[in-house]
Amino acid sequence: MDKIAVLIPCYNEEKTIGKVIRDAKKALPEATIYVYNNNSKDRTAEIAEAEGAVVRNEYMQGKGNVIRRMFREIDALVYVMVDGDDTYPMESAPEMVDLVLNHNSDMVVGDRLSSTYYQENKRPFHNFGNNLVRGSINKLFGCNIRDIMTGFRAFSYEFVKTFPVLSKGFEIETEMTIHAVYNNMQIDNVVIDYRDRPEGSESKLNTYADGFKVLKTIARLYRSYKPFGFFSILAGLLAILSAIFFVPILQEYWATHLVPRIPTLIVCCFVMMAAVQSFFVGVLLSTMAINNRREFEMQLNMLQRHKETDYSDNEK
């Protein structure tokens, strides 16, 4: 087990990967640096190896797939994840590591949005998307995370080994945040300076396609983690829809004592039944979610003992 592991997922980052590795070594000289090459077609892997990083490959395309491989293969007391595009300053890494090692943090978020992101980032729809995602998650999950989509984070061993990676692409950061919030893990924010990609380095993000995937991920995780809230909203919408079509029928019945639109009345009844069913589905799934939380806490206790045993054996 490493004490500190720096994890760098990479896809075609030959312009910047060398500098990122050198900065990581300078900021965290005792860390082991891992570069996971995700089918790069340039010299990313070659440069990373020449700089002294441990280079491994993930052949399934997508950042989520790379992070799944990293978390599965590497054991460390603290993990620092940073993108290979040289947009994040590694000078902040020691503070993030200290929060995990000495202040019980499970996830430390490198907060770009509170510093230079809006000045450096030249893509206005990215700015809008970041604000939309941050506002949605903070509202739905009752938290105060300042930067949801940042690629610069530090994690505890317990977080990494309990995080079920389901996403394949860039929506992975959203999934990480919601996992930590829902399971009541300690989250800290460290304000960092952000710099845009250097000339010649191209972003792999698709503003609209990836943004839509992120919103789908938020909805999916809200349904899984907060089923009572999700299905209550669905029940409320169905009940309102049923009432909108039922009220004119009721008014006409009071006036004439006739029901001329029988098919509409039948549909309204079925829609209202679906609303009632949705509500009780939310109640049942909410009970199951509470049981899952209990099992998660037991898993955390087992991991804590496993970590202490492994690291003490390494020191011997």
Side-chain angles (χ1 to χ4, degrees), residues 3 25 48 102 110 149 152 255 273:
K3 182 178 181 182
K25 286 182 176 180
N102 301 314
M149 305 296 293
F152 191 22
M273 288 173 59

Side-chain angles (χ1 to χ4, degrees), residues 1 6 10 21 40-41 70 91 113 124 131 167 178 183 198 200 212-213 222 239 244 257 273 310:
M1 178 181 286
V6 177
C10 277
I21 294 171
S40 295
K41 297 176 176 61
M70 289 174 163
E91 293 81 5
L113 304 187
N131 289 331
S167 300
I178 293 175
N183 289 296
F212 182 67
K213 289 178 183 177
Y222 186 65
I244 288 173
H257 296 286
M273 288 173 59
D310 277 7

Side-chain angles (χ1 to χ4, degrees), residues 21 35-36 82 87 100 122 125 139 146 164 199 204 206 229 253 261 269 274 278 300 313:
I21 294 171
V35 172
Y36 273 70
V82 63
T87 57
V100 175
K122 306 302 189 297
F125 282 108
K139 184 70 173 177
R146 298 175 192 164
E199 188 175 350
K204 315 305 183 300
N206 183 302
Y253 175 77
R261 290 178 288 175
C269 292
S278 294
L300 276 182
D313 288 346

Side-chain angles (χ1 to χ4, degrees), residues 283-301:
V283 172
L284 292 173
L285 291 178
S286 180
T287 302
M288 295 173 63
I290 292 172
N291 290 332
N292 290 337
R293 283 289 306 277
R294 293 193 184 102
E295 293 177 5
F296 179 81
E297 291 299 325
M298 295 299 294
Q299 186 181 4
L300 276 182
N301 292 335

Side-chain angles (χ1 to χ4, degrees), residues 166 182 219-227 230-231 285 289 292:
L166 302 177
Y182 175 75
R220 171 175 58 83
L221 293 175
Y222 186 65
R223 181 194 62 196
S224 299
Y225 288 143
K226 299 277 190 176
F230 179 87
F231 285 99
L285 291 178
N292 290 337

